[in-house]
Amino acid sequence: MSANLLAIFYLISGVLFILALRGLSSPETSRQGNLLGIIGMVIAIGVTIISVGNFSTGFIYLLGFLLAGGLIGTYIAFKIPMTAMPELVAGFHSLVGLAAVFVAISAFLNPEIFNLGYPGDIKIASLIEMSLGGAIGAITFTGSIIAFLKLRGIMSGSPITFFGQHYLNLLLGLTLIGLIFYLCKLQSDTFFWSIILISFLVGVLLIIPIGGADMPVVISMLNSYSGWAAAGIGFTLENTALIITGALVGSSGAILSYIMCKGMNRSFFNVILGGWGATEDTIKATSKEQKPVKNGNADDAAFLMKNASSVIIVPGYGMAVAQAQHALKEMVDALKKNGVKVSYAIHPVAGRMPGHMNVLLAEANVPYDEVFELEDINNDFANCDVAYVIGANDVTNPVAKSDPQSPIYGMPILDVEKSKSVLFVKRSLSPGYAGIDNDLFYRENTLMLFADAKKMTEEITKNL
């Protein structure tokens, strides 16, 4: 295939990727956006395979690896529950980073194959590109692994800090810059491998001090890192599609991370630099002595909601774990038959990744016009009869407004405590993912419903 024709097809795939992002920006057009992205990726992969132009043993290997990876990805996509989607995304990000590292290594060891020069005499621009791509890829790989372990519960979601941690990160960052400089000057294998190894370490150090409350931002941030890694390697390979795709993923992930940080009243640089400001004192200060709570049942909840004029549903990760979205939709339908106005309130970081709750509600065919973001519905809680909190925790915690020592202090929350009555569905009084107690449990207007979210919601529906 000629270079011009190859460029045209890559341009078409790039346009489809842009249209895909535009479609994914709204629930109504998300399916179409997803389809456009798939078509764009099929074109990009297909054209790349054809451009090889050599149906040799290597080509057969390429198809074999593509088939194996595609089948594994398809199997995982069908089997993975929505509750495990955040860690799946983190896991896939790690693979993107690792792929960038492998390509950088291959380009450095065999530059002549990629038309980059010869060992010891590689183009300076190519050295910079492969160094940055490999370094960002290595950071993405180990950082995503740590995020996966935290999300999966294998590692504690609490921030892991030690004295001088940020200064060590700064030192390692400056060291990477120095190593890249000397790699370009001397082209020594030692400098290249040092860049990769130190980058692996930086990925770990950047993510371990970030607490569970900020984990959705971390997922978005790692998504951005994986995109920039791919773009850097795209320059090394002179692959237009990889450059366009990587730049789109990198920039969109960075913008989303910034929006989420703004929505959580977090410093963007605080998060990307590894939770700057988190200390052991702020972590220890989150523990709290438990106080008496009001305990209710499905009968009490049904009575309160049936006699309400307005109910606001606040879904959280507990709803995802219980797979209660369909039962919730049935309960809402029953309330509507009784003339109750029902709305859904979604916090920007509800669940453990951006859009987690929106996807679950869409899966249960909840109308989009009933789902509102925090800034659009927060003022309505003061005029609401009942707030039904199903599995949410940190995003409803009033401590975010009252305790400067709390790790979630300053994060905008859903003002459910202003409702006349709060029904809080939870298995126990255990803290949320941020590891802190929720003051809302002990408020005078809160009725705790200790049960599995799905079973409790079904019982309420029967009583309605």
Side-chain angles (χ1 to χ4, degrees), residues 82-197:
M82 269 304 300
T83 50
M85 195 59 69
E87 50 258 48
L88 174 67
V89 172
F92 280 172
H93 287 164
S94 73
L95 296 179
V96 176
L98 189 61
V101 173
F102 283 154
V103 173
I105 292 172
S106 179
F108 182 76
L109 296 179
N110 300 285
E112 65 275 12
I113 296 177
F114 301 95
N115 297 318
L116 305 178
Y118 299 92
D121 187 25
I122 302 174
K123 301 174 186 176
I124 300 299
S126 298
L127 279 173
I128 295 174
E129 291 160 5
M130 71 176 69
S131 298
L132 290 175
I136 298 173
I139 292 171
T140 303
F141 173 69
T142 52
S144 297
I145 293 297
I146 297 299
F148 173 86
L149 295 175
K150 287 197 171 197
L151 289 165
R152 196 68 178 171
I154 299 173
M155 177 183 288
S156 171
S158 301
I160 300 173
T161 60
F162 54 85
F163 179 76
Q165 185 172 16
H166 299 303
Y167 295 106
L168 175 60
N169 289 345
L170 178 61
L171 177 62
L172 291 175
L174 294 174
T175 301
L176 283 175
I177 295 174
L179 287 171
I180 292 174
F181 173 79
Y182 280 105
L183 174 65
C184 295
K185 189 174 182 179
L186 303 175
Q187 301 204 15
S188 168
D189 290 11
T190 303
F191 290 121
F192 178 79
W193 290 112
S194 297
I195 290 171
I196 300 298
L197 292 176

Side-chain angles (χ1 to χ4, degrees), residues 107-301:
F108 182 76
L109 296 179
N110 300 285
E112 65 275 12
I113 296 177
F114 301 95
N115 297 318
L116 305 178
Y118 299 92
D121 187 25
I122 302 174
K123 301 174 186 176
I124 300 299
S126 298
L127 279 173
I128 295 174
E129 291 160 5
M130 71 176 69
S131 298
L132 290 175
I136 298 173
I139 292 171
T140 303
F141 173 69
T142 52
S144 297
I145 293 297
I146 297 299
F148 173 86
L149 295 175
K150 287 197 171 197
L151 289 165
R152 196 68 178 171
I154 299 173
M155 177 183 288
S156 171
S158 301
I160 300 173
T161 60
F162 54 85
F163 179 76
Q165 185 172 16
H166 299 303
Y167 295 106
L168 175 60
N169 289 345
L170 178 61
L171 177 62
L172 291 175
L174 294 174
T175 301
L176 283 175
I177 295 174
L179 287 171
I180 292 174
F181 173 79
Y182 280 105
L183 174 65
C184 295
K185 189 174 182 179
L186 303 175
Q187 301 204 15
S188 168
D189 290 11
T190 303
F191 290 121
F192 178 79
W193 290 112
S194 297
I195 290 171
I196 300 298
L197 292 176
I198 291 176
S199 298
F200 280 137
L201 177 60
V202 170
V204 174
L205 293 174
L206 281 179
I207 305 302
I208 58 172
I210 300 178
D214 292 331
M215 199 50 63
V217 184
V218 172
I219 294 295
S220 177
M221 179 186 71
L222 290 169
N223 177 47
S224 178
Y225 286 177
S226 68
W228 295 124
I233 294 303
F235 280 106
T236 301
L237 301 180
E238 297 182 349
N239 187 298
T240 308
L242 202 53
I243 296 171
I244 294 174
T245 307
L248 285 173
V249 173
S251 56
S252 61
I255 292 169
L256 178 59
S257 299
Y258 175 77
I259 292 173
M260 293 178 68
C261 284
K262 188 176 179 181
M264 296 170 64
N265 196 30
R266 289 286 195 268
S267 166
F268 180 67
F269 290 103
N270 175 29
V271 177
I272 66 172
L273 293 176
W276 188 284
T279 65
E280 292 186 10
D281 291 337
T282 59
I283 298 166
K284 291 176 182 176
T286 60
S287 60
K288 201 170 187 182
E289 184 180 351
Q290 288 190 355
K291 295 172 280 188
V293 298
K294 290 183 179 179
N295 193 354
N297 55 39
D299 291 334
D300 301 324

Side-chain angles (χ1 to χ4, degrees), residues 311-313 343-346 370-382 414-415:
V311 173
I312 297 180
I313 310 292
S343 305
Y344 297 83
I346 306 293
E370 294 179 6
V371 181
F372 298 90
E373 300 296 329
L374 178 144
E375 63 272 11
D376 298 322
I377 200 171
N378 229 14
N379 292 331
D380 295 348
F381 282 104
L414 292 165
D415 295 329

